[in-house]
Amino acid sequence: AQSVTQLGSHVSVSEGALVLLRCNYSSSVPPYLFWYVQYPNQGLQLLLKYTTGATLVKGINGFEAEFKKSETSFHLTKPSAHMSDAAEYFCAVSGLSGYSTLTFGKGTMLLVSP
Amino acid sequence: DVKVTQSSRYLVKRTGEKVFLECVQDMDHENMFWYRQDPGLGLRLIYFSYDVKMKEKGDIPEGYSVSREKKERFSLILESASTNQTSMYLCASSGEGRGYEQYFGPGTRLTVT
């Protein structure tokens, strides 16, 4: 079965500091990996995804993630945090079937202080 | 832009009531999904549909049913609402096949009293 582990339910950074949100996955087939962001009282919005090809993936709002097969990881980074980055972030891995099902991690709340 | 809309942002119902949550997408997507989101538990899949009148159970289908009579519309039904179904419900749609991202609606916060 597919699974996703996000280390840390809450991560706090100062404005301007590096953002690092960790995601490890388990998959019995080559995975497709996703990062979503959820702002308060909103649905989820896609930040970036990895399917095949380049392992360093760039997304919206200055975020990027690197697929590391040997470490089964897909960590999300941003060089310099902004107050508007405060939100909940979800990592997800594709299902095994031909359908576009996803298995989500439990989420990491990013707190940004001035 | 893909648009997924949900019929209500906030809903308050009484225990035992039948509850309908509606979701509409405008991108002709084959797949549609219903999740519930609870603090500390992330998103859990209730049901999904890969075609009109077709459905598959997700991880937590108990106490729920779904209906998809038209491609653009996917309904979640709580036959007899209970307090443990108080949650945020998110609908999503997606193209066919692995690797397609899901597009989410704004969510419905349901409170059952």
Side-chain angles (χ1 to χ4, degrees):
Chain A
Q2 316 294 84
S3 68
V4 173
T5 301
Q6 292 184 238
L7 195 62
S9 59
H10 291 78
V11 169
S12 295
V13 300
S14 299
E15 195 172 20
L18 171 73
V19 175
L20 171 61
L21 303 182
R22 299 179 188 274
C23 172
N24 288 89
Y25 69 90
S26 171
S27 177
S28 54
V29 299
Y32 296 152
L33 295 158
F34 304 79
W35 274 102
Y36 282 86
V37 61
Q38 185 180 33
Y39 299 103
N41 296 318
Q42 294 186 26
L44 277 67
Q45 177 184 0
L46 181 71
L47 271 179
L48 49 82
K49 69 175 184 179
Y50 168 79
T51 52
T52 57
T55 57
L56 182 62
V57 181
K58 295 187 185 302
I60 62 171
N61 301 338
F63 284 93
E64 62 183 36
E66 187 171 11
F67 170 61
K68 291 188 177 181
K69 184 179 177 181
S70 61
E71 298 177 9
T72 61
S73 69
F74 191 56
H75 301 331
L76 182 70
T77 60
K78 183 175 180 177
S80 177
H82 192 272
M83 296 294 290
S84 60
D85 294 327
E88 191 159 22
Y89 293 79
F90 292 92
C91 181
V93 64
S94 54
L96 295 173
S97 70
Y99 307 121
S100 54
T101 55
L102 297 175
T103 297
F104 286 85
K106 290 183 165 52
T108 297
M109 184 69 72
L110 177 66
L111 308 169
V112 183
S113 56
Chain B
D1 270 357
V2 176
K3 192 125 180 152
V4 180
T5 56
Q6 295 184 229
S7 50
S8 305
R9 292 300 305 273
Y10 300 93
L11 210 52
V12 179
K13 296 292 182 180
R14 295 198 179 274
T15 302
E17 278 193 84
K18 190 168 186 176
V19 181
F20 292 87
L21 303 183
E22 305 282 340
C23 175
V24 177
Q25 52 98 359
D26 67 358
M27 281 301 292
D28 202 36
H29 282 161
E30 289 79 9
N31 298 331
M32 296 187 74
F33 308 83
W34 275 108
Y35 297 90
R36 64 176 283 175
Q37 181 181 14
D38 300 289
L41 297 179
L43 275 74
R44 293 179 290 167
L45 182 64
I46 303 171
Y47 269 98
F48 73 96
S49 169
Y50 54 91
D51 202 350
V52 174
K53 297 189 187 296
M54 306 304 289
K55 61 186 179 184
E56 290 282 342
K57 292 180 180 179
D59 301 317
I60 52 164
E62 296 79 19
Y64 304 94
S65 61
V66 291
S67 172
R68 194 168 180 199
E69 296 296 320
K70 293 185 178 182
K71 189 174 185 179
E72 67 272 17
R73 188 178 298 269
F74 191 36
S75 301
L76 180 70
I77 304 155
L78 288 65
E79 294 288 343
S80 178
S82 64
T83 55
N84 63 11
Q85 292 178 310
T86 291
S87 187
M88 170 71 90
Y89 290 88
L90 292 165
C91 175
S93 73
S94 173
E96 202 168 7
R98 295 181 78 230
Y100 278 92
E101 62 264 36
Q102 294 182 11
Y103 295 86
F104 284 81
T108 296
R109 187 167 294 282
L110 173 67
T111 302
V112 183
T113 61

